[in-house]
Amino acid sequence: MKFFGFLLIIISATSFGFMPIFATYAYDSGLDVETILLFRFLIATILLNLYIYFKGYTYPRGKVLAILVFMGAVLYSVQSFSYFSTVDLISSSMASILLYLYPAIVLLISVSILKSKIKPRDISALILTTIGATLVVGLKFYNINIIGVMLGITAALVYAVYILVGANVMKKLDSLVGTTVIITAAAFTYMAYGTYRGIYIPTDLGQW
């Protein structure tokens, strides 16, 4: 079971690594941040809810449902918008470094606000992962877009809060169901915004 969990972490990290690359291609094809995120969440919403339906899972209710909707409609939506905007404004390497400030922020919030006990291995892991990320993506400090940097820090901060909130609520239900509700809530946020400003439909295979 631990091996499977470790494998999922590797897949998740790899997917996050590819995400800014796909985003860059999407921008080059003429799409904007809002359109990318709208269809990203909309497609995922359709697929996940179909899977939930055919598997016979039940959706949560009450407080748990409210927390999940908040995580998706607010936290994940803001984090995604901030991060994808960062990739559009500054280099993917710098955007990745800024996003991966979130483990440090999670640790700081856990210690200072949640009064969690910090262990030497937590510090060691944080230092090693930060150094590793820096060595992999590199750093480019010239011609920095300040707005892009601020959005990148915002993405990391909101993601840290998202993780801390999710760590408790996800223990109370199936993780796939929780993910489905979060993604669906995020999709509704972007659908509402898209309806307000006008929805652009991708027109060619490259954009899709």
Side-chain angles (χ1 to χ4, degrees), residues 101-112:
L101 290 173
Y102 81 83
I105 298 173
V106 169
L107 189 60
L108 288 174
I109 294 176
S110 298
V111 173
S112 61

Side-chain angles (χ1 to χ4, degrees), residues 73-197:
V74 179
L75 295 179
Y76 203 34
S77 295
V78 172
Q79 189 276 335
S80 298
F81 178 83
S82 299
Y83 180 64
F84 273 76
S85 297
T86 302
V87 174
D88 190 31
L89 294 172
I90 62 178
S91 67
S92 297
S93 59
M94 177 64 75
S96 298
I97 281 293
L98 292 174
L99 177 64
Y100 281 96
L101 290 173
Y102 81 83
I105 298 173
V106 169
L107 189 60
L108 288 174
I109 294 176
S110 298
V111 173
S112 61
I113 298 179
L114 303 181
K115 305 302 180 182
S116 300
K117 293 183 178 180
I118 189 171
K119 300 177 181 179
R121 67 181 182 183
D122 296 329
I123 299 296
S124 300
L126 182 61
I127 293 173
L128 289 174
T129 52
T130 303
I131 292 175
T134 305
L135 291 174
V136 170
V137 303
L139 287 177
K140 298 177 181 178
F141 290 106
Y142 54 86
N143 297 325
I144 293 179
N145 185 304
I146 299 301
I147 296 178
V149 172
M150 295 303 296
L151 284 170
I153 295 173
T154 299
L157 179 60
V158 176
Y159 196 44
V161 175
Y162 170 87
I163 288 174
L164 289 170
V165 173
N168 290 322
V169 72
M170 283 298 187
K171 295 177 182 178
K172 302 175 183 179
L173 74 164
D174 185 275
S175 59
L176 183 60
V177 174
T179 299
T180 301
V181 175
I182 291 170
I183 295 296
T184 302
F188 273 102
T189 294
Y190 281 99
M191 286 175 64
Y193 180 72
T195 301
Y196 169 76
R197 70 145 196 168

Side-chain angles (χ1 to χ4, degrees), residues 12-49:
S12 177
T14 303
S15 300
F16 266 106
F18 277 108
M19 189 161 59
I21 298 174
F22 283 117
T24 300
Y25 279 114
Y27 296 139
D28 290 341
S29 73
L31 298 177
D32 59 16
V33 175
E34 293 85 358
T35 302
I36 293 171
L37 291 175
L38 170 60
F39 284 96
R40 173 197 183 196
F41 288 123
L42 187 58
I43 293 170
T45 292
I46 295 171
L47 295 177
L48 286 170
N49 279 282

